[in-house]
Amino acid sequence: MKLGFDKWVVVITVTTAALLQTIDSSIVNVTLNQMMGNLGASLGDISWVVTGYAAATAVMITMSGWLSAKLGRRNYFAASIILFTVASVFCGTSTSVWELVFFRVIQGIGGGGLLTTAQSILIQTFPKEDLGIANAIFGMGVIIGPSIGPTLGGYITDNLSWNWVFYINIPFGILATALTYMFIKEPAEKMPAGRMDWLALILLIMGIGGLQIVLEKGQENDWFDSGFITAMSIAAAVGLIGFIWRELSVKLPILDLSLLRRRRFAVGTLFNFILGFGLFASVFIIPVFCQTILGFTASQTGLLLMPGSIMTGLMMPVVGGLLRKNYISPIWYAAIGFLLFFGFCFDLSAISLEAGPDYFFWPLIVRGIGMGMIFIPLTTVTLADLKSIEIPQGSALSNMIRQLGGTFGTAIMTTYISTRTVLHSSRLGDNISQYNPLSAERLRQYTGLFLSKGDALVTATSKAYRLMQGSVIKQALVLTYADAFLIIGGFFLVCVPLLLLFIGKKIETPEHVDMAME
């Protein structure tokens, strides 16, 4: 076995590929306004740039284990990088919104094969004693990517054009492709793959793709008041039920759902869903709050998230080294991480209109430490009972669930913020009346302000009421976001006692085939 310089090049290669996929899941969000202006698109049209990518990625993550076995791990990984990179070029040169949406779907097809295959390569390449550090470096790409995406996107939005959001992928894609062919080898044994099950593929696209579209577009289309959302929901339900039935009834399925019969893998997959929910929901609501309510620019918001991302990156090798020493069970590291994430959410639930960049610094540092302590232990306990040849399928399933968790988190928070704001606005508005001395005095002050600027009494009074209404809505939004942080934190707090489900026989990092670097 020759495990020296080459193995760390493998880490760099797969981490680069993982960063390409995870950054692109969030980098586009802060450039949508510029895209709308340059492409002459509506908000509803431009949102398909995000939805199309997410749906294609979710479907391909599910299929990645089977495709890796069918085409060969290295070939599939390299092909995914090449497809992602080429699609990035065409995304950047798009001249219409639907041309951009089409190539974003192609980009998602390539991106869906990166994350899971990269994780499988690491786990099947590294021996037990080095796997913690390798997973730590890889985890930096998975966790940091969604956080630095808005930072990078904000900088590009403020200083360049939206096209460069896609062009920056090109040099990294070329580098990752070259390193893949030079250093990544095929495993000694791999999962057998049957012929393409076209019925299962159609059901998968209906199920996962339909569900992704419903979650991404539901709030925008008033959920089930929309015939389109209702139709997609029915298609998603039929597709998911049919896909599960099909995969459990064939000998060589596209996705091996029988792995969920193993308790640790099933529970770990559930925690992956919650991890995705918290990671993507928090990354979603913090930039929205800072830009729409506090008035931060895209660059300021991105820089706000950077210290926490750096802390996550610093924690990953530390946790990996501690796991290597095997001082305590990985469960306890994960439990501490969940508690820290709850602390971050609880702290931000006291947010106010006076919050500045300094207010977010320490909560985001705590979040960064918590995420760093969750990812690697969770990967360890989730995959601990799987055989080496089952790792690609197990990684595909757990990553798909984490992706869906992120989509659920974003969709639920979007809907919650919309409906809860109306509730808080109604409650606050009940206190505004000419019979309430405080509100009456505030209205007199506002009216006097506009009168002093030369407005007539009727105009000044009307403006005073609108200003008061705007103040109420802003306060309602603050209360809503505070509630949202508590809900996200609650998901993580509930996970702590649920970690007891992992308690049983001793958890060790599984032995893996480490002949790939010979």
Side-chain angles (χ1 to χ4, degrees), residues 88-312:
S88 296
V89 175
F90 285 103
C91 284
T93 57
S94 296
T95 56
S96 71
V97 63
W98 295 113
E99 182 183 355
L100 177 58
V101 169
F102 174 78
F103 287 115
R104 274 287 280 177
V105 171
I106 301 300
Q107 191 186 43
I109 292 174
L114 297 180
L115 199 59
T116 298
T117 311
Q119 188 176 31
S120 300
I121 289 170
L122 275 188
I123 294 175
Q124 291 183 307
T125 296
F126 279 74
K128 176 182 175 181
E129 60 270 16
D130 291 327
L131 192 57
I133 295 296
N135 264 329
I137 299 173
F138 172 72
M140 291 167 61
V142 176
I143 300 298
I144 294 176
S147 297
I148 67 174
T151 306
L152 192 57
Y155 178 84
I156 292 173
T157 301
D158 292 342
N159 297 280
L160 300 169
S161 68
W162 65 266
N163 313 77
W164 284 95
V165 166
F166 302 106
Y167 292 153
I168 61 171
N169 293 328
I170 298 172
F172 296 103
I174 293 172
L175 175 64
T177 302
L179 292 176
T180 296
Y181 279 112
M182 291 172 61
F183 293 97
I184 292 179
K185 312 299 180 184
E186 289 294 330
E189 58 176 330
K190 60 184 180 180
M191 198 79 168
R195 299 173 61 184
M196 169 56 72
D197 187 340
W198 293 105
L199 175 59
L201 178 60
I202 293 171
L203 292 171
L204 173 64
I205 294 173
M206 287 175 56
I208 300 297
L211 178 61
Q212 195 82 27
I213 290 173
V214 168
L215 294 172
E216 293 273 351
K217 306 289 286 185
Q219 176 62 28
E220 178 186 326
N221 291 276
D222 295 325
W223 292 104
F224 297 109
D225 289 337
S226 164
F228 171 71
I229 294 298
T230 301
M232 292 304 298
S233 299
I234 294 172
V238 172
L240 286 173
I241 294 171
F243 180 73
I244 293 171
W245 165 78
R246 182 69 176 176
E247 295 307 275
L248 293 176
S249 62
V250 298
K251 184 177 180 180
L252 295 174
I254 292 176
L255 184 65
D256 189 3
L257 297 177
S258 65
L259 296 177
L260 291 171
R261 294 171 182 166
R262 304 182 191 183
R263 188 185 69 173
R264 283 208 187 103
F265 180 75
V267 177
T269 300
L270 171 63
F271 284 140
N272 264 299
F273 179 89
I274 296 171
L275 176 63
F277 185 103
L279 174 62
F280 284 91
S282 60
V283 167
F284 165 72
I285 65 176
I286 290 176
V288 172
F289 179 86
C290 290
Q291 292 183 57
T292 60
I293 298 178
L294 300 182
F296 290 10
T297 66
S299 295
Q300 287 175 324
T301 304
L303 291 173
L304 191 75
L305 297 170
M306 185 60 70
S309 301
I310 293 173
M311 182 55 66
T312 299

Side-chain angles (χ1 to χ4, degrees), residues 424-433 436 472:
H424 280 304
S425 296
S426 176
R427 289 177 175 174
L428 291 172
D430 290 341
N431 296 315
I432 297 178
S433 168
N436 184 320
V472 167

